[in-house]
Amino acid sequence: MLPSRHLRSAARQRSHRPPPAAGDASSSSSSGRLDPEVIRSNKAITAHMRAGRVADAERLFAAMPRRSTSTYNAMLAGYAANGRLPLAASLFRAIPRPDTFSYNTLLHALAVSSSLADARGLFDEMPVRDSVTYNVMISSHANHGLVSLARHYFDLAPEKDAVSWNGMLAAYVRNGRVEEARGLFNSRTEWDVISWNTLMSGYVQWGKMSEARELFDRMPGRDVVSWNIMVSGYARRGDMVEARRLFDAAPVRDVFTWTAVVSGYAQNGMLEEARRVFDAMPERNAVSWNAMVAAYIQRRMMDEAKELFNMMPCRNVASWNTMLTGYAQAGMLEEAKAVFDTMPQKDAVSWAAMLAAYSQGGCSEETLQLFIEMGRCGEWVNRSAFACVLSTCADIAALECGMQLHGRLIRAGYGVGCFVGNALLAMYFKCGNMEDARNAFEEMEERDVVSWNTMIAGYARHGFGKEALEIFDMMRTTSTKPDDITLVGVLAACSHSGLVEKGISYFYSMHHDFGVTAKPEHYTCMIDLLGRAGRLAEAHDLMKDMPFEPDSTMWGALLGASRIHRNPELGRSAAEKIFELEPENAGMYVLLSNIYASSGKWRDARKMRVMMEERGVKKVPGFSWIEVQNKVHTFSACDCVHPEKEKIYAFLEDLDMRMKKAGYVSATDMVLHDVEEEEKEHMLKYHSEKLAVAYGILNIPPGRPIRVIKNLRVCGDCHNAFKYISAIEGRLILLRDSNRFHHFRGGAWIELMLKVSGRTFPA
């Protein structure tokens, strides 16, 4: 029996199944198979199916008074070719006497649709198997990277043909197991030139040019593909001298040989040589033109690329994609969009390139709109498109949109691999949804070092140091080796969670334990860790002992710690260093001004503001945004343009009174202006993050988290206020600022403060 999944799917579509014929559907006698009318109908069914006219084929099938097994096979193959797998599975069970072709047709359909478990179930029940059966199982498992299972079916095959041997050889090569491919190759002598080329291309693909050359030199016979493999291999490795020598020695050259040399010169920055070979080509195809256009694009010579593109006599979709990608990489969004809009034909790469252009250009709304348009056009969404849109959802914390994408990518079969899976993890973490991030991580069938690093860094940014270190411990039990980025995440986890001694231990042992040499990023983490703990002298001493000069990020970490622990002298010293390194860094002026203001040194604070004006340094305005019902709402301080501003302000006024009853006191020392206390309280009350949180409470149903993003660091007053708000409103508030995540959950902290003060919790 086929697994129940397909039988259930077939049952759901039972109303679409072709109705039985008026006569006995099982009367497929030998005379029926030779019936001229049956033969004509079978050919007509095949023609309908090839043209995609499934309904016409079904009507003809239903009207046939007699059918043969070939009739059923024509329908079965048609359903499979048109992507109607449940109907194919249902029809298969209705065939009176299925033959090997029937089994092989459904087997191939299951394998192509990634239903490998179902394919294995059908294989096991087959009464008779032939070489085609085994070849389907070999190739399907190899295509999914299941090389050991492919070898299992290869070994099971009682008779192996050239397709079997070449399929198994290609499976090893395609999955990087070239030594096992060589072992298989050496196990027999009857290989054709295709097999030699397959193994040779495997060596080239995986950078083993000496082994490839050894094979090439002892080949009993070479074709033009053999020469092309070696020429392109040397070219990709950057050895254009040997690539050109082989090109000149080749007894026959085709357009691919010439194009390999053009591409080689182009990829190695030898633009003039590439153009000389291109101009000398006796014949050019679209690939040749594309290679030369790409050479100009690689050098950011977009005018020359456009001129050559306009000269092309034979553009294909790849030609347009090359120009589109070039403009996108150069940040020329208008030109990229113009190319995209004028393309006569678009493929998945075109859409993904335009999505990437918008996403990397910070055009979040355009990215999401284009993705929606992509779906309306029925275009297949590839991994790159999913990754771009997930990245956009992460940037603007559009969690609901990201969760919908998660469902779509699982249906598309991309949910378990590294490329899209890592983007999915990053999206969940940046949207503050750690539970779903962990679930997605657990569901990944493949994990690379980026997967582990994303988890560690994600937990670290949320302040969950213990969980980050647990993931690190899990990683160490696998074959994945921690890298320098891993250790940055580990040290950041220790810093954000106050695990000072543990962080120090990791820092001083990481070279011995993991082979990672400390880089500036690791020192920055340590300065931040020591600074947060108030060990400013140790942090300063570490900077003096570093094997390289401190950069602005390190001085910035020390400046931030100086503000927290009210050390204006050290803060001033750190700020002076930053001004030398980055005189345009507005954040450092503001931070130092903050230190002066918090110490009551208003004259010094005003000097910093004057200095900013004299040097033309502009303070980045603060914004906060929140997603509600798939729409992103943006707020600025004292926002007066939002359509619901009056409702939001009234709510904040009422909330402010309830917060003060609970013990909240405005942190007016955070206001950098020398004004009256009442005015300072008013200025703090309407910070952008408070407006966003208030809007979320008013519009997001109770029980659901409030997720807000701010482009700058959250101020100390808002941080304190959200502790009270989360308790008073009974809501989980997740705030992502420019540095990390902050979680506010009503409970122990506020309740303890109320008990100590003897207050009652407000209703």
Side-chain angles (χ1 to χ4, degrees), residues 285-484:
N285 61 11
V287 178
S288 317
W289 286 90
N290 293 346
M292 197 62 233
V293 170
Y296 284 118
I297 288 174
Q298 184 178 341
R299 295 274 287 270
R300 291 289 191 268
M301 300 169 67
M302 294 307 301
D303 291 339
E304 291 80 358
K306 182 180 180 181
E307 180 183 357
L308 197 62
F309 175 78
N310 291 335
M311 293 169 54
M312 289 181 65
C314 49
R315 294 178 192 153
N316 57 16
V317 69
S319 313
W320 291 88
N321 287 344
T322 301
M323 287 301 298
L324 172 57
T325 304
Y327 281 128
Q329 291 174 347
M332 303 168 70
L333 290 184
E334 291 185 8
E335 292 82 353
K337 187 63 165 62
V339 170
F340 183 78
D341 289 339
T342 54
M343 291 180 71
Q345 179 186 356
K346 301 179 181 73
D347 61 8
V349 176
S350 317
W351 289 91
M354 196 64 230
L355 285 168
Y358 278 141
S359 178
Q360 293 165 9
C363 303
S364 303
E365 184 175 346
E366 290 84 351
T367 303
L368 297 179
Q369 287 179 347
L370 186 66
F371 185 77
I372 293 170
E373 182 184 344
M374 184 179 184
R376 288 173 181 162
C377 293
E379 184 60 53
W380 175 255
V381 184
N382 62 14
R383 288 176 171 84
S384 296
F386 271 122
C388 283
V389 183
L390 283 170
S391 176
T392 297
C393 291
D395 290 340
I396 62 175
L399 178 61
E400 293 181 15
C401 179
M403 294 178 74
Q404 292 170 15
L405 282 172
H406 188 179
R408 287 189 60 181
L409 66 90
I410 286 177
R411 290 193 294 273
Y414 294 149
V416 295
C418 293
F419 186 72
V420 178
N422 293 341
L424 185 66
L425 296 181
M427 184 276 295
Y428 275 127
F429 272 121
K430 287 186 176 182
C431 291
N433 191 332
M434 292 182 295
E435 182 179 354
D436 282 337
R438 183 60 179 263
N439 291 338
F441 178 75
E442 297 292 348
E443 291 170 1
M444 291 176 67
E445 293 180 4
E446 302 173 20
R447 296 172 186 153
D448 59 10
V449 67
V450 177
S451 313
W452 293 98
N453 290 350
T454 302
M455 291 295 294
I456 293 169
Y459 276 126
R461 286 195 68 192
H462 283 274
F464 287 73
K466 179 182 177 182
E467 288 77 2
L469 297 182
E470 286 176 355
I471 293 291
F472 180 57
D473 290 338
M474 288 173 57
M475 180 185 186
R476 294 171 66 181
T477 65
T478 70
S479 58
T480 306
K481 183 181 178 182
D483 60 11
D484 56 324

Side-chain angles (χ1 to χ4, degrees), residues 626-643:
I626 184 171
E627 181 196 21
V628 178
Q629 295 180 349
N630 275 336
K631 184 178 180 181
V632 176
H633 297 259
T634 305
F635 298 89
S636 59
C638 300
D639 199 309
C640 58
V641 297
H642 195 277

